[in-house]
Amino acid sequence: MPSLRQRVLAVSRTLALTLAATLLLINLAAILYGVFMRYLAGGAPIWTDELARFLIIATVMLAAGAVWIEGGHMRVALIESLLPRGLARALNVYQWLLTLALALGGAWFSYRYALSVGMFTTSGLGVSRTIPLMSLPLGFALLAWHALWYGPAPLPTITEEAA
């Protein structure tokens, strides 16, 4: 039976990736609409480019934590495999603490920034800049959430298999 930690990670990973996939599909629809309008209807509305930009940033930020816990991000784990077990464990704890600190710091500073630009509107969508920028603190907070629940355990590595 999976532990509470494993169940929380599985549920939050699924929710984050589902939300990111939904945003990616909306992004695809916005881009296709912009292409259709530009090349077949004679002119695309300006908001399609801006919406696509904001959606791709939100997609990446929301998926970052889920990808981190499954080891799907780009990293080199060579040092961990060459160190003795005790030093490798200390390196894992250091990496975990660094990830938590950077994610929490990123969440805090991006939240403050998103609130500070609330008086300005986006040029294409005409909404407060706070709305699209809130994907940054949310993404960083999700990364911190996933890292906190994952703990200082070694991250999985994705290896290439010979064909």
Side-chain angles (χ1 to χ4, degrees), residues 15 24 35 44 53 68 75 77 81 88 93 110 112 122 138 162:
L15 288 174
L24 190 60
V35 168
R53 216 175 19 253
W68 183 83
R75 73 185 195 100
S81 63
V93 170
S110 60
R112 300 264 315 207
T122 61
L138 181 59

Side-chain angles (χ1 to χ4, degrees), residues 39-123:
Y39 296 109
L40 299 177
I46 191 172
W47 61 264
T48 57
D49 293 336
E50 191 172 68
L51 180 63
R53 216 175 19 253
F54 289 137
L55 284 174
I56 199 66
I57 293 168
T59 300
V60 169
M61 291 304 298
L62 293 178
V67 172
W68 183 83
I69 62 171
E70 59 189 28
H73 62 290
M74 185 185 303
R75 73 185 195 100
V76 178
L78 179 65
I79 294 175
E80 294 171 26
S81 63
L82 295 177
L83 290 175
R85 183 180 300 275
L87 288 176
R89 178 77 178 137
L91 180 62
N92 288 330
V93 170
Y94 168 74
Q95 290 173 342
W96 178 67
L97 290 172
L98 184 62
T99 301
L100 274 176
L102 291 175
L104 290 171
W108 172 252
F109 287 112
S110 60
Y111 176 73
R112 300 264 315 207
Y113 177 71
L115 292 181
S116 73
V117 295
M119 68 187 95
F120 304 108
T121 60
T122 61
S123 59

